[in-house]
């Protein structure tokens, strides 16, 4: 399958190119995502962190019984490699569900395929075979890839916010106390709102930073503008925690004409590390690879 | 399987995408200075809009909807195409994905229909041939 790569909550998926992520949850413990083609939902990804591998035989039996009481018909147990599945008809449509346990993430994952018409075993097999855990890299950075953003961020940060609107996507990662923050954005529809160049846009976004240093470089066909400095802090915060360093880099990807921006804030060692090793890439052109 | 596993959302957009919004032929559209458009639609008939009451009740016979440049583009391509074709066209022009374009286009179409600037055509366009 010549598909698109998605990475969410440390799981990677290879899905048909016209499937888009329309629903998502940020919580790492338990949540769901749903992808749709242009007409209907096609795949649901449900996860739940568990202390150890579950008893799949019993779980599938209970699950089949539950589906039967919910009106599912023609239930059939199936197996695809590590995936335990149940195929059924629900509401007059075929639906197949597969579950598996992933050791590294200590997580039970369920994939639900609500088929619009006929079930496609080949597509189902291809999607299941491509599901993998995405381990952190050697520096402990986690990769996320969705909504045209491909990024690597410090593994100690959680996804605190994800905002998606037409022509705009934003991920904000933060630690528990909100002291370390990484924010990645991808903004489209530029002719309607962007009246300046990238450098001026970055300066406008970081107007209150002090002791700012600016650099500009060409990276893989992208003109990247970077600004680093001290983010404003209150007197007490500065006295207790020291400087809050910040940085931002931005560029326009020629492939999709969108503005990409990555911003980080935190104590000096964090900001230095994030500035040096953090990465944001354009999923569209595959450039500035994360 | 997972504790709170829920059946997948049955939502699909087929019917919505197949609809054909068309401009209200009686609507008066005029260009605005910022490249948008001002659409005037006649208000529904009511006793206070007839003489002699209308001389005392403020407001004209038309209700105006002002659209920005993007809204104007959308208004102009509502020429009998299906919603799916409109979404595709807007996605192509502004380099959006299909669903980005759909989530931008459909609320505006809904609002324009509510305000009477657009209507949903029930019959197929003249050039459509139905093979039976």
């Amino acid at each position: 399958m010549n598909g698109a790569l998605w990475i969410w909550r440390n799981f990677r998926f290879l899905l048909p190119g016209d499937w888009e992520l329309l629903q998502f949850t940020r919580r790492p413990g338990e949540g769901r995502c749903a992808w749709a083609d242009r007409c209907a939902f096609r795949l649901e990804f449900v996860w739940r962190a568990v202390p150890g591998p579950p008893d799949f035989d019993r779980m599938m039996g209970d699950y089949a019984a539950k589906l039967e009481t919910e009106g599912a018909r023609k239930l059939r147990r199936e197996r695809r490699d590590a995936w335990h599945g149940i195929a059924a008809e629900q509401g007059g449509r075929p639906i197949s569900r597969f579950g598996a346990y992933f050791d590294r993430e200590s997580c039970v994952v369920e994939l639900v395929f609500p088929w619009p018409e006929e079930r496609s075993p080949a597509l189902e097999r291809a999607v299941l075979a491509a599901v993998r855990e995405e381990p952190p890299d050697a520096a402990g950075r986690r990769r996320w890839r969705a909504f045209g953003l491909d990024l690597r961020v410090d593994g100690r940060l959680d996804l605190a916010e994800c905002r998606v609107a037409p022509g705009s996507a934003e991920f904000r990662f933060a630690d528990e106390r909100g002291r370390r923050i990484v924010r990645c954005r991808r903004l489209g529809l530029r002719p309607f709102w962007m009246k300046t160049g990238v450098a001026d846009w970055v300066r406008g976004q970081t107007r209150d930073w002090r002791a700012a240093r600016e650099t500009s470089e060409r990276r893989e066909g992208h003109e990247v503008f970077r600004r680093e400095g001290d983010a404003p802090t209150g007197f007490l915060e500065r006295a207790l925690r020291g400087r809050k360093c910040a940085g931002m880099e931005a560029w326009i990807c020629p492939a999709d004409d969108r503005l990409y921006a990555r911003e980080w804030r935190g104590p000096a060692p964090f900001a230095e590390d994030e500035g040096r090793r953090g990465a944001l890439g354009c999923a569209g052109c595959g450039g500035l690879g994360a | 399987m997972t504790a709170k596993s829920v059946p997948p959302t049955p939502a699909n957009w087929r019917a919505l995408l197949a609809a054909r919004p068309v401009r209200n032929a009686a609507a008066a559209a005029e260009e605005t200075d910022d490249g948008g458009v001002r659409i005037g639609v006649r208000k529904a008939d009511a006793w206070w809009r007839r003489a002699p009451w209308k001389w005392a009740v403020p407001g004209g016979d038309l209700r105006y909807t002002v659209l920005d440049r993007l809204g104007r583009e959308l208004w102009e391509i509502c020429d009998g195409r299906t919603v799916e074709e409109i979404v595709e066209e807007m996605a192509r022009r502004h380099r959006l994905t299909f669903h980005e374009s759909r989530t931008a286009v459909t609320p505006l179409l809904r609002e324009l229909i509510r305000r009477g600037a657009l209507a949903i055509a029930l019959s197929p366009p003249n050039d459509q041939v139905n093979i039976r």
Side-chain angles (χ1 to χ4, degrees):
Chain A
M1 180 175 56
N2 186 17
L5 176 66
W6 295 81
I7 301 174
W8 192 270
R9 205 231 163 269
N10 311 331
F11 286 96
R12 61 157 58 210
F13 301 86
L14 198 59
L15 303 176
D18 64 335
W19 290 13
E20 292 183 47
L21 183 58
L22 296 192
Q23 296 177 347
F24 56 84
T25 315
R26 292 182 286 108
R27 288 192 307 272
E30 188 174 336
R32 67 184 281 276
C33 288
W35 283 266
D37 65 10
R38 61 170 52 192
C39 290
F41 281 101
R42 300 301 306 271
L43 175 69
E44 190 180 1
F45 158 49
V46 186
W47 68 86
R48 181 161 56 97
V50 290
D55 176 354
F56 262 106
D57 267 348
R58 211 187 75 189
M59 201 164 87
M60 298 307 285
D62 293 348
Y63 195 51
K66 180 172 160 265
L67 289 175
E68 216 154 13
T69 60
E70 287 173 359
R73 291 167 42 253
K74 298 183 186 169
L75 268 83
R76 203 171 55 253
R77 298 267 291 268
E78 293 181 3
R79 190 80 198 259
R80 294 235 197 289
D81 302 323
W83 295 92
H84 301 255
I86 297 176
E89 253 183 39
Q90 220 170 344
R93 293 180 313 163
I95 291 190
S96 45
R97 300 157 194 269
F98 291 87
Y101 173 74
F102 288 84
D103 203 27
R104 178 188 279 273
E105 289 295 323
S106 190
C107 210
V108 175
V109 168
E110 179 187 6
L111 292 189
V112 183
F113 296 85
W115 299 101
E117 287 150 9
E118 290 275 296
R119 184 178 173 194
S120 164
L123 175 60
E124 190 179 86
R125 202 168 290 123
V127 170
L128 290 173
V131 178
R132 297 259 189 288
E133 288 162 293
E134 181 75 14
D137 66 11
R141 297 191 164 271
R142 289 288 190 179
R143 187 175 179 197
W144 292 74
R145 187 179 162 107
F147 308 116
L149 292 161
D150 189 352
L151 56 107
R152 277 187 194 280
V153 69
D154 190 317
R156 294 167 297 177
L157 307 186
D158 293 324
L159 179 58
E161 193 176 11
C162 180
R163 284 196 288 184
V164 184
S168 157
E170 175 180 341
F171 284 84
R172 192 170 65 83
F173 297 87
D175 64 5
E176 274 179 12
R177 295 183 178 181
R179 287 182 193 160
R180 298 175 175 84
I181 295 172
V182 175
R183 188 176 172 211
C184 297
R185 286 183 279 174
R186 177 177 185 247
L187 304 170
L189 297 169
R190 283 196 319 106
F192 292 92
W193 60 268
M194 196 170 179
K195 308 294 178 206
T196 61
V198 176
D200 284 337
W201 183 82
V202 171
R203 287 185 196 115
Q205 297 283 311
T206 59
R207 197 169 289 134
D208 52 358
W209 291 7
R210 285 174 304 164
R213 304 170 301 283
E214 295 179 357
T215 52
S216 180
E217 61 173 324
R218 195 158 178 83
R219 258 189 259 159
E220 297 175 39
H222 301 72
E223 203 61 54
V224 182
F225 180 78
R226 179 188 274 233
R227 192 160 198 252
E228 288 168 289
D230 290 352
T233 48
F235 170 76
L236 201 59
E237 192 184 356
R238 195 176 175 85
L240 291 173
R241 298 192 191 127
R243 286 165 56 214
K244 187 191 259 183
C245 298
M248 182 186 242
E249 59 180 20
W251 66 90
I252 291 166
C253 176
D256 60 11
D257 194 37
R258 297 208 189 197
L259 177 82
Y260 289 75
R262 186 171 72 92
E263 186 183 347
W264 57 94
R265 285 171 190 238
F270 168 80
E272 274 165 30
D273 188 53
E274 197 57 42
R276 205 172 55 247
R277 295 198 222 175
L280 168 63
C282 327
C285 74
L288 298 175
Chain B
M1 208 171 296
T2 50
K4 286 191 182 168
S5 177
V6 286
T9 319
N12 77 63
W13 310 270
R14 275 198 186 82
L16 171 89
L17 294 177
R20 266 176 215 281
V22 289
R23 292 193 291 268
N24 179 348
E30 56 188 69
E31 197 177 325
T32 58
D33 294 338
D34 62 353
V37 67
R38 190 170 85 133
I39 305 161
V41 178
R42 188 163 294 283
K43 290 176 185 170
D45 194 24
W47 60 265
W48 64 86
R49 296 217 176 92
R50 291 185 212 136
W53 315 108
K54 72 172 187 180
W55 300 326
V57 177
D61 292 340
L62 297 178
R63 185 221 296 244
Y64 289 99
T65 304
V66 180
L67 300 177
D68 62 7
R69 204 147 54 94
L70 206 56
R72 180 187 172 178
E73 272 185 39
L74 179 66
W75 160 257
E76 284 174 350
I77 58 175
C78 288
D79 53 4
R81 306 173 204 211
T82 62
V83 172
E84 185 171 7
E85 288 163 345
I86 293 168
V87 168
E88 267 175 1
E89 177 63 18
M90 292 296 276
R92 188 189 61 76
R93 288 187 191 186
H94 299 290
R95 306 173 92 161
L96 299 172
T97 66
F98 182 82
H99 283 292
E100 277 183 317
S101 174
R102 181 183 66 82
T103 49
V105 161
T106 50
L108 188 52
L109 288 179
R110 208 169 283 139
E111 186 59 19
L112 290 174
I113 290 166
R114 194 182 70 77
R115 286 168 171 260
L118 291 176
I120 294 291
L122 294 175
S123 56
N126 295 336
D127 59 344
Q128 184 172 324
V129 179
N130 292 317
I131 300 167
R132 291 174 195 277

